[in-house]
Amino acid sequence: MPEDRVALHSEFGTLKSVIMHRPGKEIDRLTPYNKSELLFDDVPFLQQMQKEHDEFTVLIKQAAGAQVYRLHELLIDVLIDDNLLLEAITDALNGSGIEEHSEEFIARYSTSECAGILLHGIKVNELKRKYQHKVLDKFDDYDYLIKPNPNLYFMRDPAAVVQTGVISSKMKFPGRQRESKLLRTIFENHDLFKGRVDFLDTGEGVNTCIEGGDVIVLSDKALAIGHSERTDTKAIEAVARQVLKKGGVERVYEVHLPKVRNCMHLDTVFTIIDENLVVTYPDAMQSVLQTNVYRLDEVDSEGNVSLHKEEINDSILKVLQNEIDHLEVVETGDGNPDYARREQWFDGANVFAIGPRRVISYNRNIHTNRALRHAGVEVLEISSSELSRGLGGPRCMTMPIERQKF
């Protein structure tokens, strides 16, 4: 693969560039009555959340010297193209059935405003301030014509960069499905990425789903994908065919996760922070006893791929030990079961590696952070009273685009 293609070969190489989204008005759209529909367990305080996210962003820039691209700014750059703007607004309005009014909508808002609306949504009464039409009379004033995307600050999920290209996620729940469309629009059309992204097929069917938090690059030759509440076997097999066909990657692991909230994605169970070091949530690592490994069987004359599938009835920890030489393990909670469960709720295992044995972690996970430091890891802490309310950690909030290759 040419070096200018978008690809990642490790989870811990020194970070060069990353996409992030600063929480915005979409967070203020959360109420005690719609939070469950929008996949939140709580209602965060936006202003404090933004302060914490700004702290996180500045730390990445200063500690790693990495380029941080902001989602909103990338989206504005793309939507300057009138055709792409019309396509995006039409698609977003399709949910409320007034997509035929897209041009009238766009005429009343700037490109920046349209980009913001695609992120934080718009209500009927907000549109009525600029556009009066009888079609709006069938709605209540506080109905959403475009629903907000409060989960977007978890940038890891809408797409995943792997060894051979980019997985454009097929999100499980309707509340997040537009996120992956926005990211794909950016990857396909922004000058930074246009012509540099090889998209991986994720399979057909309305029930096929995969999310970026379930995707972990184990090494140049191995990829792990969690079979979770939000990622299924069909999508994993489809990605495995694409990755293995392109060469380089030799093994794709399908890791079956418990269907519980604190094991939402594979990266809530473990993350890799050096060639031979992982941080794990011990309860889940010991309870995951089914893993499948896919290898390339053959590619026929028409390019169709058949896979060899092997079941491994052993813990995911044993699988990692077989895959990573001389593996060292740091457990959340510093080995204390009560602390491990408490800090797992706030994603103790979901640290973000900005370089080998250099991670960013929530400051509230004090026992996990102490255990990491004892293992020789440089732990940089960020405030977490509000960011953590969405039940996602520092890794969840980042989409690395480029790392130093190991």
Side-chain angles (χ1 to χ4, degrees):
M1 174 180 289
E3 287 300 315
D4 66 343
R5 310 305 287 177
V6 174
L8 288 179
H9 299 271
S10 80
E11 296 283 343
F12 55 83
T14 299
L15 185 69
K16 301 296 184 183
S17 63
V18 61
I19 299 177
M20 300 177 70
H21 173 58
R22 185 177 190 257
K25 185 177 178 181
E26 66 278 359
I27 296 297
D28 265 353
R29 304 288 204 180
L30 289 164
T31 73
Y33 307 101
N34 69 7
K35 63 181 177 60
S36 296
E37 176 191 354
L38 295 172
L39 308 179
F40 269 70
D41 288 347
D42 207 343
V43 180
F45 173 35
L46 174 59
Q47 284 69 27
Q48 180 60 31
M49 198 181 209
Q50 289 176 326
K51 289 180 182 179
E52 293 173 2
H53 196 274
D54 290 345
E55 177 187 343
F56 185 24
T57 303
V58 168
L59 187 56
I60 288 175
K61 292 177 180 178
Q62 292 180 344
Q67 175 70 54
V68 177
Y69 298 110
R70 291 202 173 193
L71 175 68
H72 191 193
E73 295 170 358
L74 295 175
L75 193 56
I76 293 171
D77 292 342
V78 167
L79 296 182
I80 289 173
D81 184 311
D82 291 340
N83 293 326
L84 293 175
L85 176 58
L86 180 60
E87 181 180 334
I89 293 295
T90 300
D91 179 70
L93 288 173
N94 185 58
S96 57
I98 64 165
E99 63 274 12
E100 67 271 16
H101 294 268
S102 297
E103 291 185 355
E104 293 92 337
F105 183 104
I106 290 169
R108 288 158 173 81
Y109 292 96
S110 70
T111 303
S112 177
E113 286 177 307
C114 286
I117 288 167
L118 289 170
L119 303 180
H120 57 65
I122 189 168
K123 294 180 178 181
V124 173
N125 67 327
E126 294 168 341
L127 180 56
K128 280 182 175 179
R129 295 169 193 162
K130 294 196 175 188
Y131 180 54
Q132 293 290 333
H133 194 283
K134 62 182 180 180
V135 72
L136 300 178
D137 294 339
K138 65 180 180 179
F139 300 99
D140 291 334
D141 272 0
Y142 290 92
D143 285 345
Y144 281 106
L145 297 171
I146 298 175
K147 291 187 176 181
N149 291 291
N151 294 276
L152 252 177
Y153 80 98
F154 296 131
M155 281 301 308
R156 183 69 59 157
D157 296 328
V161 183
V162 297
Q163 300 96 325
T164 59
V166 174
I167 300 170
S168 182
S169 298
K170 298 177 73 173
M171 313 291 268
K172 171 73 172 181
F173 297 107
R176 300 201 68 181
Q177 288 169 357
R178 283 198 303 109
E179 296 178 36
S180 55
K181 293 181 182 179
L182 293 176
L183 262 296
R184 181 143 188 156
T185 296
I186 288 169
F187 280 132
E188 288 179 335
N189 298 285
H190 198 284
D191 289 344
L192 287 169
F193 309 110
K194 188 176 182 179
R196 299 179 56 219
V197 175
D198 297 316
F199 289 103
L200 302 176
D201 179 26
T202 55
E204 299 297 330
V206 294
N207 295 320
T208 301
C209 55
I210 186 168
E211 299 192 359
D214 277 317
V215 180
I216 294 181
V217 175
L218 297 182
S219 68
D220 256 357
K221 298 183 181 299
L223 181 68
I225 305 178
H227 181 157
S228 66
E229 179 190 25
R230 303 186 180 194
T231 297
D232 62 30
T233 294
K234 286 184 179 180
I236 295 171
E237 289 182 349
V239 170
R241 288 189 180 91
Q242 298 292 302
V243 170
L244 295 169
K245 180 180 179 179
K246 288 194 174 185
V249 178
E250 298 175 358
R251 298 170 296 282
V252 176
Y253 293 92
E254 176 186 7
V255 182
H256 289 253
L257 295 175
K259 304 300 191 292
V260 294
R261 187 78 162 102
N262 62 347
C263 295
M264 184 189 305
H265 290 127
L266 187 60
D267 67 359
T268 65
V269 173
F270 77 93
T271 51
I272 302 175
I273 55 179
D274 199 359
E275 293 172 78
N276 60 342
L277 183 63
V278 299
V279 54
T280 73
Y281 174 44
D283 283 3
M285 296 296 284
Q286 293 160 10
S287 65
V288 175
L289 296 176
Q290 182 185 353
T291 299
N292 301 321
V293 58
Y294 298 96
R295 295 182 175 88
L296 183 64
D297 188 3
E298 64 176 0
V299 181
D300 66 22
S301 59
E302 297 181 353
N304 298 312
V305 176
S306 59
L307 300 174
H308 173 75
K309 179 180 178 179
E310 177 187 352
E311 293 186 6
I312 304 172
N313 294 316
D314 213 335
S315 71
I316 181 59
L317 184 58
K318 183 65 176 177
V319 171
L320 290 175
Q321 288 171 337
N322 291 335
E323 189 65 45
I324 301 173
D325 292 337
H326 311 294
L327 181 69
E328 299 175 27
V329 176
V330 173
E331 295 184 346
T332 55
D334 201 7
N336 181 302
D338 290 333
Y339 290 144
R341 294 186 185 106
R342 177 181 172 84
E343 296 190 358
Q344 173 62 14
W345 188 251
F346 297 108
D347 288 278
N350 191 265
V351 298
F352 179 50
I354 58 172
R357 296 192 182 228
R358 300 186 74 209
V359 304
I360 298 176
S361 176
Y362 282 154
N363 60 356
R364 69 191 308 148
N365 293 324
I366 57 176
H367 303 282
T368 303
N369 293 344
R370 181 174 62 215
L372 286 166
R373 291 186 175 107
H374 285 167
V377 178
E378 180 185 357
V379 181
L380 306 171
E381 297 183 354
I382 58 171
S383 303
S384 56
S385 66
E386 298 302 314
L387 287 176
S388 63
R389 290 182 186 272
L391 296 187
R395 186 184 192 271
C396 292
M397 293 186 287
T398 58
M399 184 186 294
I401 300 299
E402 184 183 4
R403 291 183 180 273
Q404 179 186 12
K405 188 175 179 180
F406 268 70

